[in-house]
Amino acid sequence: MKDTKASNAAEEGKISSYLEFRTSKFVEARDGMQNSVFAVFLVNLTKKIRIWRASHMSGNLQIIKEVLCSNSRVEEICNFCSSQDDSTWDEQLGRRLSLVLDGSQTTAVRRSISLALCNHKSSIKLIWGPPGTGKTKTLSILLYTLLSKSCRTLACAPTNVAVKEVALRVLKLVKDPHHMDPGQDELLCSLGDLLLFGSRDRLEVFDDLEEIYLDHHVDRLVECFAPHNSWKKCFKTMIKFLEDCVAQYHLLENESAGEAKTNVNSDSTPVVPSSFLGFIKDKYTAIVSPLRRCVSDLCTHLPKRLLLQHNFESMVCLLNLLDSFGTLLSKSMLMTKK
């Protein structure tokens, strides 16, 4: 480490400034050099050093060799990787891409998808361009399109800022599919299909990113499967209440009546049940909250491929029915009071 000191004298006093920099070898300050040492910043090598170290880790060498083996082929006919054959291209997807991308960006996504779906050749596709040409936008739409084709994809970046930006853009496309596909009214996938890895502090995970952060997925699912308040227990409690709510109300009435007789000479006020409708509403409100949270978390934080399609649709329908029943109870209470 080399220290350089530049001193400037002012009329009111002396003001000193210090510059500390690292050199590849020791630099001896000779006579006349004290006030003429310059440091020129060329490029930050931190990103390149990280990539170099990651690519040269012993466990990654075999994977890198497989990926870079672009001439590996098997005896199999595949039209996806053929740039001359357009018969396999999804024209509807092409029209959707043209709504949000220009010609060169659409071509980049199209060719990348063809290579990704190819099952007999390992290939590398490089998307490049000067700053401001929409590389991040193109990448986010490429990831969204691969997700729509159930293609598992790992996206990496040398900086936390880059990871965060790409994740936010893909998440926005997933939550608002109408922007990408005007005919798409429902979510393309569960948010559980998106996993964000990295340091929470460095990524500054908050707001929307929290929904796809790995630790948050785990925390929400742990609550769903915890023994004391699991999704099975929530379902059983709701089913028992709906099947036996009349008996539960009469039991509460009898208990309150017995308590009133026992405390007839006491100043304490016995617990008197409300009307049957009021009892149903209060009990339902207490039971539906944990049930709705569990069902919502299962739909949101589990990958959609782990749920059968009809089961996923049934859970979504259940959430709507729970809300509708709660609204119906509230309206009935208002009508009773009038």
Side-chain angles (χ1 to χ4, degrees):
M1 188 71 67
K2 179 69 177 179
D3 295 335
T4 300
K5 176 180 177 182
S7 301
N8 297 319
E11 295 181 358
E12 292 80 11
K14 292 184 178 181
I15 302 176
S16 299
S17 61
Y18 294 86
L19 173 64
E20 186 175 286
F21 60 92
R22 186 184 301 273
T23 59
S24 59
K25 61 182 181 180
F26 177 75
V27 178
E28 181 180 359
R30 301 176 182 178
D31 295 338
M33 291 180 58
Q34 285 76 5
N35 297 322
S36 60
V37 177
F38 299 91
V40 180
F41 177 80
L42 297 178
V43 65
N44 188 345
L45 295 178
T46 302
K47 300 179 185 179
K48 309 298 186 295
I49 293 173
R50 290 175 181 172
I51 296 174
W52 180 264
R53 289 176 178 173
S55 62
H56 284 73
M57 292 175 64
S58 59
N60 294 342
L61 293 180
Q62 188 61 33
I63 299 176
I64 294 173
K65 289 180 180 179
E66 292 293 332
V67 172
L68 295 179
C69 189
S70 59
N71 293 324
S72 61
R73 294 177 180 269
V74 296
E75 296 299 326
E76 184 176 339
I77 298 175
C78 178
N79 292 327
F80 284 110
C81 60
S82 175
S83 59
Q84 304 298 326
D85 189 356
D86 293 335
S87 61
T88 58
W89 178 248
D90 188 343
E91 294 299 334
Q92 184 178 3
L93 174 59
R95 287 192 294 271
R96 293 202 302 266
L97 292 175
S98 65
L99 295 176
V100 291
L101 299 177
D102 61 26
S104 61
Q105 293 169 344
T106 301
T107 301
V109 173
R110 177 174 177 170
R111 292 180 178 176
S112 298
I113 293 173
S114 297
L115 291 177
L117 297 179
C118 171
N119 55 13
H120 82 290
K121 184 177 68 173
S122 299
S123 304
I124 296 177
K125 183 67 177 177
L126 175 63
I127 299 176
W128 65 276
T133 53
K135 296 185 296 296
T136 304
K137 179 181 179 181
T138 303
L139 174 61
S140 62
I141 293 179
L142 172 60
L143 293 174
Y144 174 83
T145 306
L146 291 173
L147 186 63
S148 69
K149 294 182 175 295
S150 301
C151 183
R152 300 179 67 183
T153 308
L154 174 64
C156 305
T159 66
N160 293 306
V161 174
V163 172
K164 182 177 178 180
E165 180 63 25
V166 172
L168 281 172
R169 294 201 184 198
V170 175
L171 178 60
K172 183 178 179 180
L173 288 172
V174 171
K175 296 179 69 174
D176 185 18
H178 185 77
H179 177 71
M180 178 70 183
D181 183 3
Q184 183 78 16
D185 295 328
E186 59 182 12
L187 292 181
L188 169 72
C189 65
S190 164
L191 294 183
D193 291 314
L194 303 176
L195 293 179
L196 174 63
F197 298 84
S199 169
R200 178 187 291 270
D201 296 333
R202 293 181 179 180
L203 283 172
E204 298 181 356
V205 177
F206 58 89
D207 296 337
D208 290 343
L209 278 182
E210 182 77 20
E211 297 179 296
I212 61 174
Y213 190 58
L214 176 61
D215 292 0
H216 182 66
H217 282 312
V218 173
D219 292 341
R220 301 307 302 164
L221 291 176
V222 165
E223 292 187 14
C224 291
F225 293 97
H228 65 281
N229 196 28
S230 66
W231 66 271
K232 290 184 178 180
K233 184 177 180 180
C234 292
F235 270 97
K236 289 179 179 179
T237 303
M238 177 61 76
I239 292 173
K240 182 179 179 180
F241 167 69
L242 294 176
E243 291 180 345
D244 201 30
C245 56
V246 176
Q248 292 181 28
Y249 175 71
H250 289 320
L251 179 62
L252 182 59
E253 270 190 325
N254 295 334
E255 289 178 353
S256 299
E259 184 179 352
K261 291 179 180 179
T262 303
N263 301 327
V264 65
N265 296 323
S266 176
D267 294 334
S268 61
T269 304
V271 178
V272 180
S274 60
S275 65
F276 177 69
L277 185 59
F279 165 78
I280 292 294
K281 183 179 182 303
D282 294 340
K283 192 74 172 178
Y284 177 81
T285 301
I287 296 175
V288 76
S289 180
L291 174 60
R292 197 186 191 290
R293 185 179 65 251
C294 281
V295 175
S296 178
D297 286 344
L298 290 175
C299 291
T300 302
H301 298 289
L302 275 179
K304 200 171 182 179
R305 61 185 177 84
L306 297 182
L307 298 171
L308 296 177
Q309 183 63 27
H310 70 273
N311 287 337
F312 181 83
E313 293 174 356
S314 296
M315 288 194 292
V316 174
C317 181
L318 174 61
L319 292 174
N320 295 329
L321 291 175
L322 291 175
D323 291 341
S324 298
F325 188 66
T327 302
L328 181 62
L329 287 176
S330 299
K331 291 182 178 179
S332 300
M333 288 292 294
L334 290 175
M335 293 177 63
T336 303
K337 291 180 180 179
K338 291 181 180 180

